Amino acid sequence: ITQRGCIVQLPLRPNEQFYGLGLQFLSFAQRGKKKIARVNADPKFDTGDSHAPVPFYVTTEGIGILVDTSRYATFYFGDARPKPAHAVDSLDSVGGTNPDPDYTHGIRDGDSGQVTVEVPNADGVEVYLFGGPQMIDAVRRYNMFSGGGFVPPEWGLGFWYRMDARGTQRSTLALGGEFRESKIPCDVIGLETGWQTHAYSCTFEWNEDRFPDPKGFVSFAQGMNYKINLWEHAFTHPASPLFPEIAPRSGDYGVWGGLVPDFAGEPARAAFGTYHGKTFIDAGISGFKLDECDNSDYTGGWSFPECSKFPSGIDGEQMHNTFGMHYQMALWNEYRNRNQSTYNLVRSSGALAAPYPFVLYSDLYAHRDYIRALVNSGFAGLLWCPEVRDAVSEEDLIRRLQSVVFSPLAMVNGWYIVNPPWKQINRRLNNAGQLADGWQKLEARCREVIAWRMQLVPYLTAAFQRYAEEGIPPFRALVLDAPGERRLYAVDDQYMIGDRMMVAPLFAGEPSRQVVLPEGDWHDFWTGNAFKGGSQLSVPASTEKIPVYVKAGSIVPWADVGQFAGSPESRRITARVYGDGSLPFELIHDQSMMRLNWHKGKGSVTSASGYDVYAWQQLG
């Protein structure tokens, strides 16, 4: 305990590597780094700032550590050392005289050091240890300690499209109809800021100039097999019907002229949630996109200060790091009270988030940063959507769309364009109604990629079921499955989905990429071509397919393409068999198990439960 707060010191083994601390965009392996667990929606530098700062890390030795604090804790991963105690006779005894051009301060293989964590303004802190023996076991136990993962509804694992913020009831339904006519699969339509009478801060009331019949709008969309998701943030405008109840249950500073609800206290969560339950959830709204709880340093400093006070007794620093979690709870409670499943988006999250049916999102990141965040998310019980919003070329659009299809939530966010991006990538021309020459060809390519998502839903569902039952992240870094392979320690642009599928996204402008294959035998998902693990492939760039590999022996279900998840077409499955089919596939559906087995060149199905496994395809 010090005047600044408290210090935790933890042992560090030679060559032990660290991962975690939440949704990290700009780095992967953390040894030798200093990181601050601070919420920030726009992290420009590799300081630890994050949409979801999680004071949990896991090491290649199979050790997971949770420092249970909502303060801006600072983690020194092996580079904060006690002062030297003794003089030495010669420079040779400390490694020679040459300066290190990489500024690694003398850290090298065989060096131990320690982990130092400083927690400010705290008289003490609880530290939780999650044992292995393997990395995946430590992460799994952390997730189960959190409450276990969850299984999204089928529609949540389909395809999402967010409408232009200036859209109306008429234009939204028209675009929804266009998707159906052009056979572009879609499950969820998201409404952006303009659906409300006022945003930044919010009134939480329908803008009837744009949506004159909200009940009829939702009902008509449901008739087209769409779910409706509403954007909002929690800052409450004085004109909102919620203002009188939230005013005494809010902080002493406002944002954008609105209240900051004290979601750390039950009264504010209950008032906010009850209003949303009666006003929106009972009217058929399937979920929400929760924005702007982010403490950004890079958008003018608009958020509430750290010196804020809240009725629950916490200050602004603590509120920033927990606001997203409490916000999620306020709305999730309403769905649970109604025994309704939901799947949502959120801008900010934190520790112990695995059970929450929310996927993190944000905008305007480089494609590689999006993928690095997705790879990192699996260390901390988080889910991340590398949404498609900006694209600088047709190739960039395809690359990003291919990646998001193989992610926790597949979404195109068209909030600032009138027409879908495949009709016109240029924002100015799109909004002027000037469609690109030959846009139909690009739309056809995008339709094919979106269809992959619909075909993937059964496999994704099974991966999430393991998340709920065992705590195994459905999306995760390669090193989690193979911590003994040191060549995987720095692989931050490939990831596992479920127990047998590996994705290696391509990036626009690059003629090829290197794909690292972990030990074992692998097959190209698309062709069935076999590859020996422990090797590295050079994959030429092609917009036709995204590189996907499956473990030898895998059986992978591949559904027919429906216009929405749960459609009759989506129940027809081809079982793709790679090699000898020794890894059966299991999926729980409607309280019954579908199990796909392969033996001596013949497939069998156990209790298909509503699915029609009508074809077996052996590849490789």
Side-chain angles (χ1 to χ4, degrees):
I1 307 299
T2 72
Q3 290 182 335
R4 293 170 53 89
C6 68
I7 295 174
V8 178
Q9 292 178 325
L10 296 157
L12 174 60
R13 293 185 175 97
N15 306 321
E16 188 174 15
Q17 188 54 269
F18 296 86
Y19 304 89
L21 288 195
L23 194 71
Q24 296 295 317
F25 287 84
L26 301 175
S27 63
F28 184 54
Q30 302 299 341
R31 181 158 182 162
K33 295 180 179 291
K34 169 190 173 184
K35 290 295 181 72
I36 301 175
R38 189 182 84 124
V39 71
N40 188 332
D42 303 292
K44 308 288 186 184
F45 306 101
D46 189 23
T47 59
D49 282 9
S50 166
H51 296 266
V54 179
F56 172 80
Y57 66 83
V58 62
T59 84
T60 48
E61 296 288 338
I63 294 167
I65 295 290
L66 172 64
V67 181
D68 188 13
T69 181
S70 57
R71 295 291 181 187
Y72 296 163
T74 302
F75 289 74
Y76 300 87
F77 286 119
D79 203 23
R81 290 172 166 76
K83 66 182 182 181
H86 306 287
V88 296
D89 294 331
S90 71
L91 288 171
D92 292 339
S93 63
V94 292
T97 60
N98 293 330
D100 187 338
D102 294 323
Y103 300 99
T104 53
H105 309 289
I107 300 174
R108 53 193 182 274
D109 284 355
D111 184 34
S112 292
Q114 65 185 24
V115 179
T116 300
V117 185
E118 183 180 16
V119 183
N121 304 311
D123 294 330
V125 68
E126 291 181 338
V127 179
Y128 292 83
L129 169 72
F130 299 88
Q134 299 297 322
M135 285 183 77
I136 192 70
D137 298 309
V139 170
R140 177 180 63 80
R141 288 173 172 144
Y142 166 77
N143 287 334
M144 295 308 292
F145 178 78
S146 303
F150 66 93
V151 183
E154 271 189 310
W155 57 260
L157 292 176
F159 184 72
W160 296 42
Y161 191 93
R162 303 204 71 84
M163 298 293 177
D164 174 27
R166 300 151 296 186
T168 65
Q169 180 169 326
R170 181 186 295 272
S171 66
T172 298
L173 293 176
L175 188 54
E178 179 185 316
F179 286 169
R180 293 291 183 247
E181 290 175 8
S182 59
K183 306 300 182 185
I184 294 177
C186 188
D187 279 273
V188 180
I189 288 176
L191 302 185
E192 288 294 305
T193 54
W195 75 268
Q196 292 189 58
T197 55
H198 194 278
Y200 301 100
S201 51
C202 286
T203 53
F204 314 106
E205 286 187 308
W206 286 95
N207 181 344
E208 295 189 0
D209 290 337
R210 294 182 176 181
F211 292 85
D213 180 14
K215 183 177 179 181
F217 163 73
V218 173
S219 177
F220 196 89
Q222 290 174 336
M224 298 169 69
N225 293 297
Y226 286 114
K227 304 293 183 182
I228 300 297
N229 178 282
L230 298 180
W231 172 96
E232 66 168 47
H233 62 69
F235 307 132
T236 306
H237 191 274
S240 170
L242 262 172
F243 190 90
E245 280 198 88
I246 296 298
R249 302 175 174 95
S250 61
D252 57 348
Y253 284 83
V255 176
W256 288 315
L259 303 171
V260 180
D262 182 8
F263 285 143
E266 175 63 24
R269 289 200 305 272
F272 197 89
T274 298
Y275 175 86
H276 279 70
K278 293 179 179 179
T279 308
F280 302 117
I281 298 174
D282 288 345
I285 298 303
S286 66
F288 296 87
K289 175 184 174 184
L290 310 183
D291 197 359
E292 307 302 359
C293 44
D294 61 0
N295 192 31
S296 173
D297 283 342
Y298 307 103
T299 53
W302 47 259
S303 199
F304 57 90
E306 276 73 358
C307 61
S308 299
K309 297 178 181 179
F310 292 86
S312 61
I314 70 173
D315 60 27
E317 176 186 350
Q318 294 166 304
M319 181 61 81
H320 279 301
N321 269 2
T322 59
F323 191 84
M325 293 292 291
H326 292 313
Y327 192 2
Q328 293 170 58
M329 179 63 76
L331 296 184
W332 183 30
N333 278 340
E334 297 302 310
Y335 286 99
R336 291 195 292 180
N337 291 341
R338 291 162 173 77
N339 197 30
Q340 292 184 22
S341 60
T342 184
Y343 204 35
N344 306 266
L345 290 154
V346 68
R347 190 72 168 265
S348 174
S349 195
L352 310 178
Y356 290 62
F358 288 81
V359 180
L360 286 150
Y361 80 96
S362 195
D363 51 350
L364 303 180
Y365 287 108
H367 190 185
R368 280 191 176 277
D369 293 340
Y370 265 136
I371 298 305
R372 187 180 298 108
L374 178 57
V375 176
N376 275 321
S377 64
F379 295 119
L382 302 170
L383 299 170
W384 168 249
C385 169
E387 65 173 44
V388 181
R389 189 181 303 207
D390 261 13
V392 298
S393 65
E394 290 188 5
E395 182 196 7
D396 191 30
L397 176 62
I398 291 295
R399 300 281 193 236
R400 288 174 178 265
L401 190 59
Q402 289 174 339
S403 295
V404 80
V405 159
F406 287 89
S407 84
L409 193 150
M411 181 175 72
V412 168
N413 188 352
W415 76 273
Y416 55 47
I417 50 177
V418 174
N419 300 289
W422 45 81
K423 291 189 173 183
Q424 175 58 263
I425 292 173
N426 182 284
R427 178 177 179 178
R428 181 182 59 82
L429 297 179
N430 188 306
N431 288 322
Q434 298 182 33
L435 305 187
D437 292 338
W439 61 265
Q440 294 88 347
K441 182 178 180 181
L442 181 58
E443 181 186 71
R445 283 290 298 118
C446 291
R447 181 189 299 112
E448 178 187 2
V449 174
I450 294 169
W452 298 344
R453 178 63 175 202
M454 311 308 289
Q455 296 179 284
L456 194 61
V457 167
Y459 182 81
L460 291 175
T461 300
F464 273 96
Q465 287 175 353
R466 291 198 73 190
Y467 190 35
E469 295 166 8
E470 304 174 39
I472 297 176
F475 295 81
R476 59 190 182 276
L478 305 189
V479 71
L480 263 182
D481 287 36
E485 296 187 52
R486 293 191 65 180
R487 64 197 187 92
L488 303 180
Y489 283 14
V491 178
D492 63 354
D493 59 358
Q494 298 174 218
Y495 54 93
M496 294 295 298
I497 304 178
D499 62 351
R500 62 195 66 186
M501 183 178 288
M502 181 181 71
V503 180
L506 293 164
F507 303 96
E510 298 182 0
S512 64
R513 71 152 294 163
Q514 299 300 304
V515 175
V516 179
L517 293 176
E519 296 290 342
D521 294 326
W522 295 82
H523 290 268
D524 184 301
F525 173 77
W526 307 104
T527 66
N529 292 341
F531 299 94
K532 191 69 178 175
S535 62
Q536 190 162 301
L537 307 176
S538 180
V539 179
S542 166
T543 58
E544 292 303 311
K545 302 293 183 184
I546 179 175
V548 180
Y549 302 86
V550 293
K551 293 180 179 178
S554 295
I555 302 177
V556 178
W558 198 237
D560 281 5
V561 181
Q563 294 307 291
F564 57 93
S567 67
E569 297 90 344
S570 71
R571 298 298 181 221
R572 291 170 49 82
I573 288 177
T574 297
R576 300 167 67 103
V577 183
Y578 296 88
D580 62 9
S582 56
L583 295 176
F585 174 81
E586 293 182 355
L587 168 68
I588 304 297
H589 181 71
D590 291 340
Q591 309 305 312
S592 180
M593 178 184 291
M594 176 175 69
R595 181 181 171 95
L596 307 180
N597 299 278
W598 182 263
H599 183 63
K600 294 184 177 179
K602 185 176 181 181
S604 63
V605 184
T606 303
S607 185
S609 181
Y611 285 101
D612 174 19
V613 184
Y614 72 95
W616 292 79
Q617 182 181 13
Q618 187 162 23
L619 296 138

